Amino acid sequence: MRDALGGLFNITLLFTFLFLITGFVLFGINYYKAFSVKNKIITTIEQYEGNMSNPKLKEKIEPYIRRLNYNARISENMVNNLKSGNDLEWDCNTFNDLGFCFAKDTSSSNTCLSTFLVKTFVNTDVPVFNSIFSSSSLFSVSGETKVIRSREDSCR
């Protein structure tokens, strides 16, 4: 009987260790996806000089997101946390729920210069994990573009 209980303890310890390592690896993969998507979005915004209404911008971002299988869901709670933190106008719905938000930062005194802030979220779609960490804004990746000069006539 003593050997059976010792074997049960060892198997339980082994499965716990495997569960922790697997969870860490999966989180790392999802973090990498969020980081890569953020970098692609920033690069694309810089290429199109901040023109977020350009349909070609979406045509470049969406296939990349689909190819990486990045599927973070943005909840209303996350959007409210973004909007309550500062006075920026965060937009999470323009690109049909692709899992990122952006905001145009025009806080500088020169209205012709602006930067875009981009925030992507790490997919933590694990039931036990979601009950412990209800706000997934803990696990987000943010970045900003270089300063972009506006192409409006008043800025030329």
Side-chain angles (χ1 to χ4, degrees):
M1 185 70 177
R2 191 178 80 196
D3 290 339
L5 289 177
L8 177 67
F9 176 74
N10 285 338
I11 289 174
T12 305
L13 190 62
L14 176 71
F15 280 129
T16 304
F17 180 72
L18 284 174
F19 178 74
L20 289 174
I21 295 299
T22 304
F24 182 72
V25 168
L26 290 175
F27 180 80
I29 290 170
N30 286 328
Y31 186 83
Y32 168 76
K33 287 179 183 180
F35 195 80
S36 296
V37 167
K38 180 214 40 122
N39 286 341
K40 178 66 174 179
I41 293 167
I42 287 174
T43 304
T44 308
I45 290 173
E46 289 172 353
Q47 284 176 349
Y48 287 94
E49 298 175 343
N51 185 5
M52 299 303 284
S53 61
N54 191 339
K56 290 184 180 179
L57 185 129
K58 182 180 178 182
E59 289 174 9
K60 276 197 157 185
I61 293 173
E62 191 170 3
Y64 184 78
I65 289 175
R66 302 282 183 237
R67 188 171 65 240
L68 266 183
N69 198 20
Y70 172 74
N71 53 0
R73 302 286 178 245
I74 300 174
S75 67
E76 286 296 321
N77 189 22
M78 291 178 181
V79 174
N80 292 337
N81 285 343
L82 274 176
K83 292 182 179 180
S84 68
N86 49 32
D87 58 348
L88 296 174
E89 300 266 341
W90 286 96
D91 186 359
C92 300
N93 298 323
T94 298
F95 292 99
N96 299 333
D97 196 27
L98 291 178
F100 72 92
C101 298
F102 68 92
K104 184 175 183 179
D105 185 12
T106 56
S107 61
S108 69
S109 60
N110 188 349
T111 58
C112 295
L113 302 176
S114 62
T115 58
F116 283 85
L117 303 171
V118 176
K119 187 169 276 216
T120 57
F121 300 94
V122 178
N123 185 8
T124 55
D125 196 14
V126 179
V128 175
F129 191 79
N130 285 344
S131 64
I132 296 171
F133 299 105
S134 61
S135 173
S136 291
S137 63
L138 266 170
F139 305 111
S140 61
V141 182
S142 58
E144 64 182 52
T145 63
K146 297 175 186 172
V147 177
I148 298 173
R149 184 170 186 82
S150 180
R151 299 187 125 224
E152 296 174 6
D153 291 333
S154 62
C155 295
R156 292 183 185 186

